[in-house]
Amino acid sequence: MHNLTILEKIWNTQKQNFDLLIYVPHHSIDKDFIKKVRETSKISLDSVSDDLLYKYMYHEADTWVVEVLESMKKYLEKSEFSIWILKVEIPRGFCDLNRPLELAIPEVFRDKSWDEIYLRAEKEIENVIQKSDFVFHFHSMNGFNPVEKSIFNENANSDFFKNHIKKVYSGSKRECTILTENVDWEYLTEKKFDKIFKEKFAENNLVLEENTAYRLVDHFPCTNIIRKHKSGFFEITKTAIATEKTKNNFDTNKIIFDEKKVEIYWKVLSEILLKYLKTKNN
């Protein structure tokens, strides 16, 4: 198994601490993990093709976050700040680093080796975040709310994965969202950053909601990070950057991303981050 996390510099690497860390925990669609799931599975997956497992993994991943970041890098590298990107190379559908260990890995294939992957990645993440003055949690999500619970368990077969991909996220429409509070309405993220975020989206006539898709949960790792380190948290919907013809697909494997829409968002996100960095100590 290769690196579980990748730390990538954007600019100004001489500083001891990072002015900004862009944290991307769920983008991975690494096919190597399909083989590992098969090796450790306690049930037969012979009826489930690798292609179907890949589509499930893709559907659950924060797809196109890294592609947006690639364009952001060209803009951010012109700044005077120390900016880094931390990417987790573990597919969320198989091991969710934003869940505590006991909930992160489906029991149907969980074993000691999966626990070791989780714990090693957790340690690598914490070692990097400790060096960061501000953490921007960057996620993407399906554009529609879930209509049912769908858990990779002992009943998982070909029909389970097909149903999950086509139907689970087929409810009411979601919009791009910042997360700021927990379920008890306690404000946890950096208020100055959130204010800039909302102002910039309004200036560019972009829809932005707050805590609508879900809220920060206290026992989740990202909430623990936010409590310890100044942070902002953003979920971009896949529909927001999809072509008009494909944006309403419940199956995100069928979504085609619109380069012009991606450009709008990478520019706005870059402006938000730089404005915050320039004003955070004022």
Side-chain angles (χ1 to χ4, degrees):
M1 195 67 66
H2 48 63
N3 291 340
L4 300 181
T5 62
I6 295 177
L7 182 62
E8 182 179 345
K9 64 183 177 182
I10 294 182
W11 195 243
N12 200 344
T13 62
Q14 302 305 312
K15 291 187 177 180
Q16 185 173 1
N17 277 15
F18 310 153
D19 293 311
L20 168 65
L21 179 71
I22 303 173
Y23 176 42
V24 184
H26 292 154
H27 81 100
S28 177
I29 46 175
D30 185 346
K31 290 182 178 180
D32 287 349
F33 280 89
I34 293 175
K35 180 180 178 182
K36 180 161 184 61
V37 168
R38 291 193 182 281
E39 290 173 347
T40 60
S41 178
K42 301 177 181 70
I43 62 169
S44 173
L45 294 173
D46 291 345
S47 67
V48 185
S49 67
D50 282 358
D51 180 63
L52 188 53
L53 283 172
Y54 178 79
K55 287 179 178 177
Y56 168 80
M57 179 173 63
Y58 185 94
H59 192 62
E60 287 297 300
D62 288 7
T63 44
W64 271 74
V65 165
V66 169
E67 286 77 3
V68 173
L69 277 175
E70 284 302 310
S71 295
M72 289 174 65
K73 281 163 55 178
K74 298 171 186 176
Y75 189 96
L76 295 172
E77 68 185 7
K78 300 172 185 177
S79 78
E80 70 272 27
F81 299 103
S82 174
I83 302 174
W84 293 72
I85 298 170
L86 178 62
K87 296 183 287 189
V88 177
E89 298 298 305
I90 306 171
R92 174 182 176 271
F94 301 144
C95 180
D96 190 341
L97 268 293
N98 192 30
R99 296 290 185 274
L101 178 58
E102 63 272 16
L103 301 176
I105 306 155
E107 287 295 332
V108 71
F109 59 78
R110 179 183 173 185
D111 68 359
K112 183 179 179 181
S113 67
W114 280 99
D115 288 3
E116 289 172 351
I117 287 171
Y118 179 99
L119 293 169
R120 182 180 141 203
E122 182 182 54
K123 185 176 180 179
E124 290 178 13
I125 292 164
E126 181 57 29
N127 287 341
V128 172
I129 286 178
Q130 285 180 353
K131 303 175 185 176
S132 309
D133 294 340
F134 183 78
V135 182
F136 178 50
H137 303 247
F138 190 17
H139 297 245
S140 72
M141 63 180 178
N142 295 328
F144 300 90
N145 282 305
V147 296
E148 61 183 84
K149 286 187 177 181
S150 179
I151 301 172
F152 190 159
N153 58 28
E154 65 276 5
N155 298 313
N157 56 22
S158 182
D159 288 339
F160 163 83
F161 290 105
K162 289 176 182 177
N163 180 76
H164 184 98
I165 293 167
K166 293 178 181 178
K167 295 182 180 179
V168 170
Y169 293 99
S170 62
S172 56
K173 186 180 178 183
R174 284 169 162 174
E175 302 289 355
C176 295
T177 303
I178 55 171
L179 300 189
T180 60
E181 298 174 343
N182 65 9
V183 293
D184 296 320
W185 307 92
E186 180 185 5
Y187 206 104
L188 299 177
T189 51
E190 175 72 354
K191 289 185 178 180
K192 182 181 287 189
F193 176 78
D194 295 338
K195 182 174 183 292
I196 292 170
F197 209 105
K198 288 183 272 192
E199 289 172 349
K200 279 290 182 183
F201 263 63
E203 287 172 14
N204 288 275
N205 297 312
L206 297 175
V207 178
L208 181 69
E209 296 185 346
E210 188 171 351
N211 304 311
T212 50
Y214 59 99
R215 288 177 177 269
L216 297 167
V217 179
D218 277 335
H219 65 281
F220 284 7
C222 74
T223 310
N224 293 332
I225 292 170
I226 290 168
R227 284 191 177 279
K228 296 176 183 177
H229 307 274
K230 288 184 178 180
S231 294
F233 194 115
F234 177 54
E235 287 269 13
I236 187 171
T237 61
K238 298 171 187 180
T239 51
I241 49 178
T243 63
E244 290 300 306
K245 289 184 178 180
T246 65
K247 69 179 184 180
N248 291 321
N249 277 304
F250 300 143
D251 177 357
T252 58
N253 289 273
K254 296 179 179 178
I255 284 180
I256 299 171
F257 290 94
D258 186 316
E259 295 291 346
K260 291 183 179 179
K261 291 181 181 179
V262 170
E263 181 179 6
I264 291 169
Y265 279 93
W266 76 249
K267 285 183 176 178
V268 171
L269 290 172
S270 298
E271 289 171 1
I272 289 167
L273 292 170
L274 287 181
K275 184 173 181 179
Y276 172 73
L277 291 174
K278 291 173 181 177
T279 61
K280 68 184 178 80
N281 294 322
N282 295 344

